[in-house]
Amino acid sequence: MVTMSLERTEQPGVAVDLAIDGMTCASCVRRVERALGQVPGVVSASVDLATEKAHVETRGAPTSSLVAAVARTGYRASVLADDPDGAAEAELQRAREARGRREFWHAALALALALPLVLPMAAMPFGHELALPAWLQFLLAAPVQFWLGARFYRAGFAALRAGTGNMDLLVALGTSAAFGLSLWNWLVAGHGGHALYFEAAALVVALVLLGKWLEGRARRQTGAAMRALAALRPTTARVLIDGEPTELPIAAVATGDRVLMRPGERVPVDGEIVEGSGHLDESMVTGESLPVVRGPGQKVIGGTINQDAALVVVTTATGAETVLARIIRMVENAQAQKASVQRLVDRISTWFVPAVLAIAAVTALSWWLAGAGIEPAIIHAVTVLVIACPCALGLATPVAIVAGTGAAARAGILIRDPAALEAAHAIDVVAFDKTGTLTEGRPELAGLATAAGQDRRHLLALAAGLQAGSEHPLAGAVRAAAQETGLVPAVATEVRSLPGRGLEGVVVGQRFAILSERAAREAGTDDAELAAWAAAAAARGQSVSWLVALPKGEALAVLAFGDRPRPEAAEAVAALRRQGLRVAMLSGDHPAAAAAIAAEIGIEEVHAGLLPADKVQAVQALRQGGAQVAMVGDGINDAPALAAADLGIAMGSGTDVAMASAGVTLVRPDPLLVAAALAVAKRTRRTIVQSLVFAFLYNVLLIPLAALGQLTPVLAGAAMALSSVSVVANAWRLSRWHADC
């Protein structure tokens, strides 16, 4: 375990993460939260049974006080250090795996010792009397009860000392009652090998131990996606120092360092390529299965795989500031917080155990007063105590959230907190921004009309040459179109900008200009056919430029520019409609441009020409109409609307402000992930409800059966273990979810 000094005092507003060891049920969670909340300086504390962690917001609370508060409840706590390279998490995981191996051997040994006690009982229906001598039953059961089952006494006593109860207390009381009754019947009543319940006590302990091992194993599997992400972080980088590669620990790499990456290696840092180009496998970070081509000037993400070329990258972020570290942090924060339904379960758990103890006492008293005798009365009370362990209740929500957010992260969907998860499942309307969300966010040459007798290829090369040195987005679109057509741009000289009008230059002794619509009219262009074509393009919401020959202003061609829809946009809209959702577009663009894109991808409800405040009003109008609204955007201008919606969904290619305003961030700019995000949220919510219903029904139905004498302690122990394993297994199915919409 990597820990910080226990005497360090946290500064105001600092969050502290604790690893908690020994919790078994929702009652444990509630008790640890209450103990942490009573420490002076603690603002809030949230404990998660599935991840065995506590997230504490402090204002001046010493970490030693937090650890001591947890210790007083009977559990062990370690303060997790800042963990940019994943070392602390890896050590924590190793400790949990070691504990899992220990639990396995304890369960196996307990079952081996309990088996000889159970075999005679199993042989009775076939007419065989194989009762073991009382002394042998005692020798087999005692190690199970007091050595292998000691954990139940320790945790149960700690709960009593804290004035509450938990699963361990129920197991300890129930099995101790069965064991004590057996000792009484043997040593005092002289029943020999008959009328003893050593096998019940031993087998209940063995089954609970087996259930805890299976439960822990399944819990570890639900967190596999996050551990896979954490494992992507390399520990060293090959830094170029005076031109020579030197291998350094990641912690020693600084922003601005040049890092050499060889084929087949994981990218150690976030950075920008300055030398080389090749394919990178970004699937574990973005969810995109196909390798992508990256070259000079393009960014790389730490943890991805450099497949086929040597690259030199200038470091832009390391450690906790990398994309991968932020992804892991965001998902861990989501898993550490509680859904509202889990908070309800935690409150129920505070009175559940005392209520069970009362039911067990009433059961024993009722059977005794009814004349059944002390032995049946105690056995029925023991059965109530064993069957009522609230493990499944405590696990239902957290393991589903861990599994759901982990699976979503693997697909490139980052869910910030359970509140976003709960909002997502109830969405009725998905409102998209247009530019950069449904479209590529960069203009392309949508059309080029030439004057009579002019050669299209020649004019395109001419326009590309005039704009060879321009940084304007439309100039880039012209150059890209020329390159795609296989044209070599003309060589232009004396190029100069005409502010607000366009630019001009000389090609082969002739002066040409690329002008805006207004500037072209002022230059005297009078081609009626080109003017009509330009007007039609403008009506479609496209931007128009004119290529003219100077000094007469002879119109040679008209270029129209538009923003192309993302390839997945139409399919994304269709996928949302299949989920029964209404789709709208909220755009700040020209109404004609917005309408054209909306028609192309199948959106009928369009609100265009909106300022940021107008988008907020549009979202509020949708909500006032009774709809639960998800807003999808990527820009600074979308941030207010993202915050105003019931659920904000930000494209990962967008601005930090947009992502900070959103409850869900999509790692790659794929609108199909919007449908996938809502689908995984609904699936997670459904899994939580299924597990909670099962857990509540289990207790509601079986506690009365136990009180009425319809169950034995052994069957109760088996059923209790099965309930916890079933809940975790149900959540584990969720961890195998894949985005397929």
Side-chain angles (χ1 to χ4, degrees):
M1 181 72 62
V2 176
T3 61
M4 297 182 288
S5 169
L6 296 185
E7 297 307 319
R8 181 171 63 82
T9 299
E10 298 297 339
Q11 298 302 315
V14 171
V16 180
D17 290 316
L18 305 174
I20 310 294
D21 187 29
M23 295 186 299
T24 56
C25 66
S27 296
C28 306
V29 170
R30 188 70 172 171
R31 188 162 74 255
V32 174
E33 283 182 341
R34 188 165 58 243
L36 289 171
Q38 291 171 350
V39 175
V42 170
V43 178
S44 65
S46 177
V47 178
D48 187 359
L49 179 61
T51 59
E52 297 177 299
K53 291 181 182 178
H55 182 76
V56 187
E57 297 287 341
T58 73
R59 288 184 182 149
T63 53
S64 57
S65 299
L66 303 179
V67 173
V70 175
R72 285 193 295 272
T73 65
Y75 306 104
R76 294 178 296 279
S78 300
V79 185
L80 293 174
D82 293 335
D83 192 25
D85 60 359
E89 183 64 32
E91 190 169 341
L92 178 61
Q93 185 57 32
R94 285 194 293 271
R96 287 173 177 165
E97 289 173 353
R99 189 178 69 201
R101 289 191 293 271
R102 185 170 63 251
E103 288 179 347
F104 169 77
W105 287 113
H106 280 194
L109 183 56
L111 287 169
L113 291 171
L115 187 60
L117 296 170
V118 177
L119 287 177
M121 185 174 63
M124 289 178 63
F126 302 98
H128 300 292
E129 281 285 340
L130 301 176
L132 299 178
W135 63 268
L136 183 54
Q137 293 186 44
F138 171 79
L139 290 178
L140 289 171
V144 178
Q145 184 72 35
F146 300 110
W147 171 41
L148 300 173
R151 57 178 287 178
F152 302 117
Y153 287 101
R154 287 193 296 267
F157 176 73
L160 275 179
R161 190 172 56 187
T164 183
N166 62 1
M167 181 208 83
D168 301 289
L169 179 62
L170 297 181
V171 173
L173 287 176
T175 57
S176 296
F179 195 92
L181 179 60
S182 300
L183 280 178
W184 173 268
N185 284 343
W186 172 33
L187 298 177
V188 178
H191 284 302
H194 300 279
L196 303 182
Y197 305 97
F198 286 122
E199 86 286 343
L203 193 56
V204 165
V205 170
L207 288 172
V208 174
L209 290 175
L210 176 63
K212 298 309 294 179
W213 172 72
L214 291 172
E215 174 190 304
R217 180 171 177 268
R219 283 207 317 240
R220 289 189 290 274
Q221 287 175 333
T222 62
M226 289 311 302
R227 290 195 298 277
L229 279 177
L232 293 178
R233 296 180 283 204
T235 57
T236 62
R238 201 173 286 107
V239 179
L240 294 176
I241 302 176
D242 296 328
E244 293 296 323
T246 303
E247 192 161 303
L248 297 177
I250 284 294
V253 181
T255 301
D257 285 348
R258 293 164 64 92
V259 176
L260 173 65
M261 293 177 295
R262 294 171 180 165
E265 293 182 337
R266 287 200 180 275
V267 179
V269 296
D270 285 8
E272 183 175 302
I273 298 174
V274 292
E275 294 180 24
S277 62
H279 291 81
L280 276 86
D281 179 359
E282 300 181 348
S283 58
M284 278 302 294
V285 176
T286 66
E288 178 58 57
S289 59
L290 296 177
V292 293
V293 178
R294 294 284 184 259
Q298 294 184 300
K299 297 185 182 300
V300 295
I301 303 172
T304 57
I305 300 175
N306 174 27
Q307 289 194 328
D308 55 12
L311 303 175
V312 177
V313 170
V314 173
T315 303
T316 57
T318 61
E321 299 307 313
T322 62
V323 169
L324 181 59
R326 291 201 302 269
I327 289 173
I328 293 172
R329 193 159 58 245
M330 182 179 289
V331 178
E332 285 179 340
N333 288 342
Q335 294 177 350
Q337 298 179 45
K338 291 182 182 292
S340 59
V341 66
Q342 180 61 33
R343 290 192 290 270
L344 173 62
V345 170
D346 289 347
R347 285 195 297 271
I348 292 173
S349 70
T350 60
W351 55 261
F352 182 80
V353 172
V356 168
L357 292 174
I359 292 172
V362 170
T363 298
L365 185 62
S366 300
W367 280 94
W368 181 64
L369 292 176
I374 191 65
E375 289 184 29
I378 292 177
I379 290 301
H380 296 325
V382 166
T383 306
V384 169
L385 292 173
V386 174
I387 201 70
C389 294
C391 309
L393 278 178
L395 288 169
T397 301
V399 294
I401 288 176
V402 168
T405 53
R410 194 170 57 243
I413 302 164
L414 306 181
I415 299 172
R416 188 170 65 186
D417 52 35
L421 196 68
E422 290 182 318
H425 93 278
I427 293 300
D428 304 305
V429 177
V430 178
F432 284 94
D433 169 55
K434 180 181 76 69
T435 305
T437 303
L438 292 171
T439 67
E440 298 284 1
R442 60 179 184 272
E444 65 171 6
L445 185 63
L448 189 155
T450 64
Q454 297 292 332
D455 180 69
R456 185 181 188 280
R457 291 173 60 86
H458 169 70
L459 294 180
L460 181 56
L462 177 62
L466 287 170
Q467 300 180 104
S470 174
E471 296 297 325
H472 195 283
L474 299 186
V478 173
R479 293 195 300 270
Q483 184 178 3
E484 290 174 4
T485 313
L487 298 175
V488 177
V491 178
T493 59
E494 300 179 30
V495 177
R496 69 186 184 96
S497 175
L498 305 172
R501 296 168 54 85
L503 57 78
E504 66 175 38
V506 176
V507 177
V508 194
Q510 171 70 50
R511 185 168 295 277
F512 299 93
I514 296 179
L515 302 174
S516 67
E517 178 82 16
R518 179 179 176 181
R521 287 198 304 271
E522 293 174 353
T525 54
D526 58 359
D527 190 311
E529 290 187 8
L530 287 182
W533 190 90
R540 294 192 296 270
Q542 296 173 337
S543 300
V544 173
S545 296
W546 288 69
L547 176 60
V548 302
L550 299 177
K552 295 182 179 180
E554 177 189 357
L556 302 177
V558 175
L559 299 87
F561 301 90
D563 193 4
R564 179 171 57 185
R566 292 187 182 275
E568 314 87 357
E571 188 179 350
V573 172
L576 290 168
R577 288 226 171 91
R578 286 196 296 271
Q579 292 185 21
L581 301 172
R582 178 176 147 204
V583 183
M585 178 189 289
L586 307 182
S587 175
D589 207 348
H590 189 279
I597 293 294
E600 188 172 347
I601 62 178
I603 295 179
E604 298 175 358
E605 185 176 346
V606 181
H607 305 269
L610 304 180
L611 297 174
D614 299 327
K615 289 185 179 181
V616 171
Q617 290 179 358
V619 168
Q620 290 174 341
L622 290 170
R623 295 183 67 194
Q624 288 168 1
Q628 295 282 311
V629 180
M631 176 68 195
V632 187
D634 74 327
I636 293 175
N637 63 323
D638 298 322
L642 291 171
D646 295 286
L647 176 67
I649 302 177
M651 292 288 194
S653 58
T655 65
D656 290 342
V657 174
M659 287 183 273
S661 304
V664 175
T665 297
L666 309 180
V667 173
R668 64 180 191 272
D670 181 354
L672 265 175
L673 287 182
V674 175
L678 299 179
V680 73
K682 292 176 182 176
R683 177 87 175 267
T684 303
R685 176 74 178 191
R686 186 164 64 246
T687 299
I688 291 172
V689 171
Q690 288 170 348
S691 296
L692 284 175
V693 167
F694 174 80
F696 275 114
L697 285 178
Y698 163 83
N699 286 121
V700 168
L701 295 178
L702 295 188
I703 288 178
L705 289 179
L708 293 172
Q710 301 302 304
L711 294 174
T712 66
V714 171
L715 287 177
M720 187 273 291
L722 179 63
S723 69
S724 295
V725 174
S726 299
V727 163
V728 177
N730 191 37
W732 183 70
R733 289 189 308 114
L734 179 61
S735 69
R736 302 171 67 183
W737 174 88
H738 295 283
D740 56 1
C741 29

